[in-house]
Amino acid sequence: MKKFILLSSFLMSVTAFSQDHFAGLTNSSRVGILTTSINPAELANMSNKFEINVIGVSFNVANNKIGFSDLTSDKDIETLLFKGNEPVNLRVDAEAYGLGFAIKHKSWALAITSKINGKLDAVDIDTKLGDALVNSGLNSVLGSSSINNNYNQRLTGTTWGEVGFTLSKNLLDKEKYKVNVGATFKLLFPGSYSNLGLDKFNGTINNVGSQVYLNNTTANLNIAYSGALANSFSNFEDYSKSVFGGLNGFSGDIGINFQWKDEPETNQKKNQNKYKFNAGLALRNMGSMTFSDNNNYKTNYTLNIQPTIANPLGLNLNQFENIDNLQQIETILISQGYLTKQPEKKDFKVKLPSIFSAYVDVKIISRLFVSGYIQQKVNDDNSNDQITAQNSFTITPRLNLGFFEVYSPWTSNEISGFNGGIGFRVGGFYLGSGSIITAAINDSKQADIYGGFRLAFL
């Protein structure tokens, strides 16, 4: 378990990670395959008749405890992570678009896309419990600490692949405005999964010398694992070795788009997707996938730790210090009599992170735009069968010179707070970050980078 937290801390120390994928770029008036990630209806606004996506990669990390100044100081990161009473939240998120193709013909547009996803999350981890497991209670004074939580805290990791089919239709195209609708149907290929959930945890932590014990404890415990993450949830290679599994799930996106057109130009080529105002609504990632593997297990336990003659102080938490997978946790708890049920071998379903999103993009003066984007998760991150999402709001000023574009996204995120970054596009090449500015000038709790290349023609 310690290695899981250490991995998250290590990833946070690498400045190649963030919170919003392709922040600032997806609202560009240069519309293509990436734009469909926020609204499939936008595909009918494609700037060219054809587009080929070669590669697009985005790495994201957000947390609510550790800032950049902490990483460059001599402070102990593991100790800082569990200071205070606010639960620890950390999201590590990566996605990569592979080969994709889009075509627009008259009022229709069609795209075929491929993508892989990887996530590692800590959701509402109690600081006292986390400190006891990771630091052997170093943040606590000698004695007892009581914990009484009425929510579910989770450590979870997921990998999966997607193949998407997007269809967009222009419903109305008048002199001053136009309306598009669109939908994406996605085939899901679950790779690997692990989840440790502790719901309604009540207990007492006793710090006795160099040993930390958990006693008088009750909780609902969920342990689920499948694929490579059954063997280790702290090794990055285990996330990358089984990204694409077999087809075993479906999801979909739907959206609508409205444009108030700009004054037409004599050159029709230059008149592609020119507007004064562009807005859209979308509901995304509606669906789920089923994990099925030879080492597939999902078990709901009742955890009950009470003093016994053999263990009067309760469960010794120091023995979890070097634990590397959930099977080891099960074995320890069952062998010491704290779980009476055996692991259950069965398939299980996991919900995708459903999101409602809305945006507007307004032309201020020639070639200068400002966009606003908001996303709201639909489901509860504390649910054991749920992949997490984040609520956020982003304002992006953007200068679009056609072949060259520069933009600066500024985001308020529920996990990491306020962050600002910068990005640019030269033809089909793009590179950016949603947090590099605030990381450089203040104590940002987020870091990220994304980049890629696509070809558009005709």
Side-chain angles (χ1 to χ4, degrees), residues 12-29:
M12 182 59 200
S13 69
V14 181
T15 58
F17 293 87
S18 127
Q19 118 254 4
D20 279 341
H21 289 298
F22 306 102
L25 180 67
T26 49
N27 282 121
S28 171
S29 54

Side-chain angles (χ1 to χ4, degrees), residues 211-249:
Q211 302 296 304
V212 181
Y213 296 88
L214 186 61
N215 216 337
N216 301 313
T217 299
T218 59
N220 298 319
L221 174 64
N222 174 271
I223 295 180
Y225 44 87
S226 178
L229 293 185
N231 302 318
S232 171
F233 52 74
S234 63
N235 188 347
F236 177 77
E237 291 183 359
D238 289 319
Y239 285 81
S240 59
K241 70 171 57 171
S242 63
V243 175
F244 259 94
L247 173 61
N248 213 351

